[in-house]
């Protein structure tokens, strides 16, 4: 086991069967060994600094019907909302005062946000907050659409590939969505010049260890700047409502692996991780993560952006969340910093 982890540390990748072996045989001791190497690498590139991204969940309308997602089109129990441009800018204002230097606009695939509307919002944030990075995350668009947003001032795009195994992709999504298109979107985003984030859920229904090994190899090939992973958590009003949640230990182990694969990468310790375990986000940092994405959405809409059951941080004001997170990060020896936190060496 340790020899495979050493090989990963040296070569930043493994063969598929080696990843499978690691994922099927890891235990507490190997995890601790992996995490100590992961921390030495995050320490080398980032010291004890943790970056934050202010998450603005600007719409929960979605034209897609992903079987795992709480805001899927067919969920009639969702109270749908859209933020106005003014509301989004007000979130940025609050966030900037609190020290955020990256804003993430995340939402469902909502036709009401035409390219014209998106470009106008991005330009306004760019003008109002020239010292901040703008990250977008609202699904699959064409090359030309991504280009328009980039030219308006967006810097980064988050689009999890969800699973790199074709049959698994089809088990998680309706026929209207395809892994090929998802991958094409990611390649287009890279070509345009975005800092790109991809990722997957850990423990999603029908996922096998082989699927996870394929995820890791796909990530190696894509070479993204950011990778977001978190446990799958069931949502009661979806077809996957009765499936079990993903494992915390496996999610942490995969964060450690990703740190060894992309030593200078931006790896969030996700809200989903904090939802399955009260100390999940702290554990994620100790496994090699270096980014947190607190919620900046207006308090009145937070519960409506429920991707999975019991999502945390839906009841507190942004300022309260900020203090809580700073303390949590400090409790494990790290520090939240007021920086954009770009990928090291990334030229725009
Ligand atoms: N619509 C955009 C997209 O498809 O990329 C962004 C929003 S989408 C809701 C953000 C992410 O939430 C997805 O990439 C997915 O991995 C995650 N997610 C959705 N449902 C989830 C669940 N039940 N458990 C954990 N994560 C979930």
């Amino acid at each position: 086991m340790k020899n495979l982890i050493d090989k990963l540390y040296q070569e930043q990748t493994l063969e598929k069967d080696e990843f499978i072996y690691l994922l099927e045989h890891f235990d507490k001791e190997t995890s601790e060994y992996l995490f100590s190497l992961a921390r030495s690498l995050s320490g080398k590139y980032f010291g004890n600094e943790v970056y934050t991204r202010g998450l603005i969940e600007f719409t929960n309308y979605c034209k897609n019907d992903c079987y795992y997602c709480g805001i899927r089109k067919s969920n009639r129990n969702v109270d749908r909302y859209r933020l106005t441009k003014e509301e989004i800018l007000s979130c940025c204002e609050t966030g900037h005062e609190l020290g955020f230097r990256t804003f993430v606009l995340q939402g469902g695939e909502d036709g009401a946000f035409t390219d014209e509307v998106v470009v106008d919002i991005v330009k306004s944030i760019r003008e109002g907050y020239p010292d901040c990075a703008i990250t977008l995350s609202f699904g699959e668009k064409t090359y030309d659409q991504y280009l328009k947003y980039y030219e308006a001032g967006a810097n980064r795009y988050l689009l999890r590939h969800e699973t790199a195994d074709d049959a698994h992709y089809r088990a998680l999504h309706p026929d209207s969505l395809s892994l090929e298109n998802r991958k094409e979107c990611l390649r287009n985003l890279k070509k345009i010049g975005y800092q790109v984030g991809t990722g997957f859920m850990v423990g999603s229904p029908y996922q096998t260890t082989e699927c996870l090994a394929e995820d890791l190899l796909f990530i190696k090939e894509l070479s993204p700047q950011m990778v977001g992973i978190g446990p799958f958590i069931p949502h009661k009003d979806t077809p996957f409502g009765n499936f079990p949640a993903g494992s915390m230990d496996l999610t942490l182990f995969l964060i450690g692996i990703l740190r060894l694969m992309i030593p200078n990468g931006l790896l969030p310790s996700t809200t989903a991780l904090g939802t399955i375990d009260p100390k999940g986000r702290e554990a994620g940092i100790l496994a090699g993560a270096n980014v947190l994405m607190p919620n900046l959405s207006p308090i009145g809409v937070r519960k409506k952006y429920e991707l999975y059951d019991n999502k945390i941080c839906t009841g507190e004001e942004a300022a309260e969340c900020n203090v809580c997170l700073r303390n949590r990060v400090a409790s494990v020896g790290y520090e939240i910093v007021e920086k954009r936190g770009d990928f090291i060496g990334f030229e725009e």
Side-chain angles (χ1 to χ4, degrees), residues 158-176:
L158 304 178
L159 186 78
R160 290 182 173 183
H161 65 281
E162 311 296 358
T163 173
D165 181 280
D166 203 45
H168 188 218
Y169 196 92
R170 281 183 271 117
L172 299 181
H173 302 97
D175 289 346
S176 52

Side-chain angles (χ1 to χ4, degrees), residues 211-319:
C211 296
L212 288 171
E214 286 174 40
D215 287 324
L216 295 172
L217 291 172
F218 169 70
I219 287 169
K220 192 73 217 172
E221 178 200 322
L222 179 71
S223 183
Q225 285 76 31
M226 308 169 274
V227 183
I229 65 165
F232 160 76
I233 303 175
H235 185 293
K236 57 183 184 331
D237 297 325
T238 65
F240 291 162
N242 290 325
F243 278 85
S247 136
M248 158 109 157
D249 289 344
L250 181 56
T251 306
L252 295 174
F253 194 72
L254 282 157
I255 290 175
I257 288 181
L258 287 165
R259 172 59 65 207
L260 266 54
M261 290 174 65
I262 317 175
N264 56 344
L266 298 160
L267 305 180
S269 192
T270 55
T271 304
L273 196 51
T275 299
I276 55 161
D277 188 291
K279 288 277 166 70
R281 284 169 301 175
E282 293 89 318
I285 291 170
L286 292 173
N290 65 329
V291 170
L292 289 166
M293 300 176 67
N295 201 328
L296 267 189
S297 310
I299 203 141
V301 304
R302 287 196 191 184
K303 281 200 170 45
K304 299 179 189 173
Y305 198 86
E306 202 189 38
L307 307 180
Y308 43 79
D309 292 334
N310 306 316
K311 188 174 160 209
I312 55 168
C313 305
T314 54
E316 299 92 11
E317 295 289 350

